[in-house]
Amino acid sequence: MSRKYAILVKILDQIREEARGTKWANQYAVDNDSHDAVMAARSRAYIHLYLKVMFGIGRFEEREAYVTDGSYDGGIDGFFIDKERKKIYLLQSKFRNTEKNFEEKNIEYEELLSMDIDRITAGHEKDDAGNKYNGKIQGLIRRISEIDDVARYGYEVAILANCSITPQNVRRLTDGFKAEVFDFSRVYNDLVFPIISGTYFKASDLTIKLDLNNKSAGAKTSYSVNTPSYECEITVLFVPAIEIAEVMDKYRNSVLEFNPRSYLDLDGQNVNAAIKETLLRPDSNEFALMNNGLTILSDETNLNERIGQHNKAQLRLLNPQIINGGQTAYTLSRALNEDRENAAQRFHGKEVLVKVITLTAKDATQDNVAERRRLIDEISSATNRQTAVITTDKFSNDSIHLDVQKLLFDRFGLLYERKRGEFSDGVFAGYIDRSDVLDRTLFMRLLLTVYGRIGRAVRKRIFAIHGFSDVELKDIALLDRFNLGLELFRRIAPRNTNSPKKFRDALAKVYIGVSMVNDAKMSVREAFDFIDSAWDELLRQVAQTRKKHVARYVDPDTGNSRTAFSPEKWMNSSDFQTDLSEFVAMQAKSTPPWKSIRSNEQDIEQTA
C-alpha cells in the first residue's frame, strides 16, 4: 500500500472514530471489525473529508447533517449550501476499498445518470418510480426552498471519483450544471495533504466581534506608514481571546502561510503552558498584560463601531495572515477545544492585543512582490519575542522548498516538513504518526549523502548551507536516489537522533546501499542484507592503508595499553569522504558490481 493511500485510509478511520459516543456510532462501524461494515463506513467518512476540507466544517455532527448517502438518495451523496459564495454544492462520491481501484477505476455513466438533480432542485419529493426520497434529501429540498435570495445562487456538482468521461458529457449527465471532478490525484493533493498540514480552509473574508467595554478611546488606534512601494495602515486594538481561538481552530495553518513556523506544540511546551495558565486564571485579565499579542497582515481592514449592539463592534479582515503570534493563537485554540461547553465562561473578559497591518500597493497595477516579502520578513523577525526565529525557519517559505515539498508528496507520498510544526495538526488529530514526518535537516543530510557529499552532509546548519542549486533540488533522478536512501536509513537507523556525530556510519552505509541498488540492480532489501559486509570490508581496507587513524585503549583481559585502528577517528577526518568515494567507485567497476562483497558473504554462509 502506497504512503498516500495509507494516509487517506487512516484519515477516514479517524473520522469514523469521531462518531464514538454519538447516535451514528454503529453507522460508522465504531468498534466493529466487520470488513463490510468498515468499508461502508469509510465510504461515508470520505464524504465527511470533502465537507471538512472544502467548507471548513470541523464538527462531526454538523458535517453529518449534509451527508445524504443511503437508500432513495436520488444519487446525491452529500450537499452544502454556501451562503458566502451563493452556491449550492451537490456531491457524488465513490470511495474505492483498494489502492488499485482507488487510483485506476473510473465512475460509470450509469452512476452519474442516477443523480436526480433536476427533480430534486425543482422540489419533487419522489423519484420517477414514485419512491419518496430519504429524509436527508427532503431536508435539502426544504433548505433550498427557505433561501430568500435563491435566485442569486448557482449549482455546482462535485464528483469524488476518477472520471474518463469528457467534461462536456459530464455536464450533460449532471443536468447541465457545472461539475468538478476530484480524481485520485486531486484527492491526494487537495484533500489529503491540506488536512494533515492544517491548511485546508482558507480565510478570505474574516469577521471578528469586538467588545468596547473598558475602551475609553474607542476600539482602535491607527497609524500610517509609507514605504517605497506600499502604504501601510497600522491598527492596534484588543480582541476577545475566544475570537482568536475560534479563528485559529477553523483556519489553522492556512492563516500562517507567511509565518516562518507553523504550530509549535512539538517544541516550546513551556511557552504554551505559560500562555494557557495566564489565560485561564479566574477573575483576571492578566493575559492582556502578559502576552505580546499578535501581528496580522491584511489586504483590507474595516472596523465598524455602530452595529446596532451596545458596546459591540465588528472588525473585517481581507485575506488575513498571522505573521507573528501564531503560537499564542494556536494555544488559545487548543484551550478552546479542551472544554467547548464551558468556553464562554473560561474565556470571559480575556482579551489579546492585536496589531493589524494593512498593506496597499501604491501602484495598483503592479504589486511589488519582493518589497512585500521584505516587509513581511522584517516585521516577523523584529516582533517575535516568545520563541526565537532560527536561521533555518527563515528559509522555510522559499518557493524552492514549496516545490520540493510538492514533488516529494506527489512522487513518494513523503511529508517534507519545511516549517517546524507544519504537520502537528495531522499528528494531533491522529491522521498521521510523528514518524511519518520527514525532518527537513534529515532530508538535506540524506540528499547530500546519496549525491556523494558525505563530508558536507555531517556539517551543522545544513538546511541553510546545503549547497544545492534550485535546479538540483528538483532533479527527479536525485530525488529518486534520496527516496532509496531514506528507505535504507530507516532500516539502518530506526531510532536516529539526527546528530551527525552519532550516525556518520549510518550515512556511509546509506551511500553504499544506494550504490548497490543502482550499480548491481539489487532491491533495497538485498542491498540492506549486504551493507554490513560491505562496511566491514571498507573498514578492513582503511585499517590497512590509513595507519594514522589509531587510538590507544586498555585491553580488558590483560590490562595492557594498546593501539588499534579507530573507525571514529577516521570518520571524523578528511580521509573519510575520499576513502568512501573511492571504495564505492572501485566496487562499481567490478564485474558484476559488488561481486567480491557478495562472494565473501556467500562464503561465510557456506562455512557456517
Side-chain angles (χ1 to χ4, degrees):
M1 185 184 297
S2 71
R3 294 184 180 109
K4 287 188 283 191
Y5 186 75
I7 291 172
L8 170 60
V9 169
K10 193 167 185 178
I11 291 170
L12 299 182
D13 286 342
Q14 284 301 116
I15 290 174
R16 293 196 302 113
E17 181 63 23
E18 291 179 38
R20 181 178 296 278
T22 72
K23 63 182 179 181
W24 301 285
N26 290 336
Q27 192 170 20
Y28 284 86
V30 177
D31 295 330
N32 188 339
D33 295 331
S34 166
H35 178 268
D36 290 343
V38 169
M39 294 301 103
R42 283 177 180 167
S43 294
R44 198 171 178 90
Y46 195 45
I47 303 168
H48 274 257
L49 173 61
Y50 173 83
L51 293 170
K52 184 170 185 175
V53 173
M54 299 304 293
F55 307 114
I57 310 173
R59 304 187 67 182
F60 179 90
E61 295 86 350
E62 187 180 353
R63 293 194 305 268
E64 180 62 23
Y66 298 109
V67 179
T68 58
D69 184 36
S71 301
Y72 303 111
D73 61 13
I76 295 175
D77 298 325
F79 72 95
F80 184 75
I81 300 174
D82 192 330
K83 295 180 180 179
E84 291 184 7
R85 297 187 181 94
K86 303 296 181 185
K87 281 187 178 181
I88 299 171
Y89 294 86
L90 304 176
L91 177 64
Q92 170 71 243
S93 172
K94 295 296 175 188
F95 177 70
R96 310 299 184 182
N97 294 322
T98 67
E99 179 185 356
K100 179 178 176 61
N101 285 343
F102 181 75
E103 297 187 358
E104 296 180 7
K105 190 172 182 179
N106 292 314
I107 194 169
E108 302 292 340
Y109 274 89
E110 293 76 14
E111 292 172 305
L112 290 178
L113 280 171
S114 70
M115 297 183 76
D116 291 348
I117 299 175
D118 189 54
R119 291 188 62 81
I120 291 171
T121 57
H124 294 282
E125 296 184 355
K126 297 179 180 180
D127 61 22
D128 287 329
N131 300 306
K132 193 170 184 177
Y133 294 121
N134 68 34
K136 291 288 190 70
I137 295 297
Q138 299 287 345
L140 166 61
I141 294 171
R142 184 178 62 256
R143 288 193 187 205
I144 294 174
S145 70
E146 292 172 351
I147 300 174
D148 291 333
D149 57 344
V150 69
R152 299 175 59 193
Y153 282 68
Y155 287 91
E156 188 167 312
V157 178
I159 301 169
L160 267 68
N162 301 320
C163 186
S164 60
I165 306 169
T166 65
Q168 294 83 356
N169 285 335
V170 168
R171 189 155 190 156
R172 293 191 186 100
L173 294 171
T174 55
D175 293 326
F177 293 116
K178 178 184 177 182
E180 197 168 12
V181 176
F182 287 75
D183 63 5
F184 78 94
S185 179
R186 187 171 179 189
V187 167
Y188 288 145
N189 287 305
D190 292 356
L191 300 183
V192 172
F193 189 85
I195 202 170
I196 58 180
S197 60
T199 57
Y200 56 85
F201 191 58
K202 304 292 184 182
S204 57
D205 202 333
L206 180 64
T207 300
I208 296 174
K209 298 175 184 177
L210 303 179
D211 187 347
L212 300 184
N213 284 304
N214 302 323
K215 312 294 192 304
S216 59
K220 66 172 183 175
T221 298
S222 297
Y223 184 76
S224 297
V225 177
N226 280 318
T227 73
S229 300
Y230 282 88
E231 293 177 355
C232 308
E233 181 78 14
I234 301 173
T235 303
V236 180
L237 65 167
F238 281 92
V239 175
I242 195 168
E243 290 287 316
I244 298 299
E246 292 282 9
V247 168
M248 198 64 178
D249 183 56
K250 184 171 185 177
Y251 298 108
R252 302 171 186 262
N253 279 334
S254 67
V255 292
L256 296 175
E257 290 183 4
F258 292 154
N259 199 299
R261 295 166 309 213
S262 296
Y263 293 156
L264 294 184
D265 62 325
L266 301 178
D267 66 4
Q269 293 282 3
N270 292 336
V271 175
N272 292 351
I275 293 172
K276 183 179 174 182
E277 191 274 331
T278 306
L279 170 74
L280 299 180
R281 286 176 187 168
D283 304 321
S284 168
N285 188 20
E286 293 180 15
F287 186 76
L289 181 66
M290 303 293 187
N291 190 270
N292 287 338
L294 282 68
T295 302
I296 302 178
L297 193 71
S298 173
D299 289 342
E300 183 179 310
T301 304
N302 307 108
L303 190 146
N304 191 341
E305 299 182 27
R306 300 182 182 277
I307 62 171
Q309 299 179 48
H310 182 60
N311 278 337
K312 300 296 181 183
Q314 192 175 87
L315 175 69
R316 173 185 170 269
L317 304 175
L318 183 63
N319 299 323
Q321 285 290 317
I322 299 174
I323 61 173
N324 216 263
Q327 189 170 13
T328 294
Y330 156 75
T331 305
L332 292 177
S333 72
R334 286 287 166 88
L336 172 70
N337 280 309
E338 286 175 3
D339 188 1
R340 271 193 170 272
E341 290 185 3
N342 299 305
Q345 179 182 350
R346 297 167 79 218
F347 280 78
H348 179 69
K350 311 299 172 61
E351 296 193 318
V352 58
L353 180 67
V354 173
K355 179 168 67 175
V356 179
I357 301 175
T358 309
L359 295 182
T360 305
K362 291 181 177 179
D363 183 356
T365 62
Q366 186 175 7
D367 193 353
N368 192 322
V369 177
E371 173 68 4
R372 184 184 179 88
R373 184 74 248 182
R374 182 192 68 79
L375 281 173
I376 292 171
D377 289 343
E378 289 192 7
I379 293 168
S380 179
S381 297
T383 58
N384 194 296
R385 292 293 180 268
Q386 290 180 342
T387 307
V389 178
I390 63 175
T391 301
T392 306
D393 289 331
K394 295 178 181 179
F395 294 96
S396 63
N397 279 331
D398 286 357
S399 60
I400 181 59
H401 294 295
L402 287 164
D403 293 342
V404 170
Q405 184 181 67
K406 188 176 188 309
L407 278 170
L408 289 173
F409 183 73
D410 288 349
R411 195 166 181 83
F412 312 115
L414 291 172
L415 304 177
Y416 171 48
E417 188 183 47
R418 60 183 179 82
K419 295 170 67 172
R420 284 191 296 160
E422 186 173 14
F423 297 105
S424 68
D425 197 52
V427 173
F428 182 80
Y431 299 148
I432 55 174
D433 296 323
R434 182 61 200 170
S435 60
D436 294 327
V437 178
L438 174 61
D439 178 83
R440 60 192 179 187
T441 301
L442 178 61
F443 165 70
M444 284 301 177
R445 294 199 193 287
L446 288 177
L447 197 69
L448 286 162
T449 295
V450 301
Y451 200 67
R453 302 176 182 175
I454 308 296
R456 180 178 285 270
V458 297
R459 293 183 184 179
K460 295 180 180 179
R461 297 175 58 245
I462 195 64
F463 187 80
I465 61 167
H466 52 77
F468 284 113
S469 68
D470 289 1
V471 173
E472 288 175 317
L473 279 175
K474 293 190 287 186
D475 182 79
I476 297 301
L478 178 58
L479 292 178
D480 284 344
R481 285 178 66 92
F482 160 78
N483 190 48
L484 287 173
L486 178 63
E487 188 173 347
L488 285 167
F489 182 79
R490 286 175 170 171
R491 290 171 181 257
I492 294 167
R495 294 189 180 91
N496 85 87
T497 62
N498 204 16
S499 170
K501 293 183 179 179
K502 294 185 178 180
F503 63 58
R504 286 174 184 257
D505 57 337
L507 294 181
K509 289 179 179 180
V510 166
Y511 181 52
I512 291 172
V514 170
S515 300
M516 284 180 170
V517 172
N518 288 330
D519 298 338
K521 308 303 179 186
M522 294 185 191
S523 67
V524 171
R525 180 54 191 265
E526 289 174 325
F528 177 71
D529 290 341
F530 286 114
I531 281 175
D532 284 339
S533 297
W535 177 247
D536 290 341
E537 175 62 20
L538 171 59
L539 292 180
R540 185 188 67 78
Q541 293 181 18
V542 173
Q544 292 178 345
T545 58
R546 300 287 191 185
K547 302 296 185 181
K548 61 182 178 180
H549 299 302
V550 296
R552 188 172 297 277
Y553 73 100
V554 176
D555 189 317
D557 296 327
T558 65
N560 296 328
S561 178
R562 300 180 58 185
T563 59
F565 171 70
S566 170
E568 291 76 17
K569 190 173 180 180
W570 167 65
M571 284 188 288
N572 285 310
S573 73
S574 59
D575 295 327
F576 176 54
Q577 167 82 63
T578 302
D579 295 339
L580 178 62
S581 298
E582 290 180 354
F583 175 75
V584 169
M586 287 299 295
Q587 291 298 326
K589 291 179 181 178
S590 64
T591 306
W594 303 92
K595 177 182 178 180
S596 60
I597 303 299
R598 284 184 287 183
S599 297
N600 291 340
E601 183 76 14
Q602 292 166 358
D603 290 343
I604 292 172
E605 289 178 356
Q606 291 171 0
T607 302

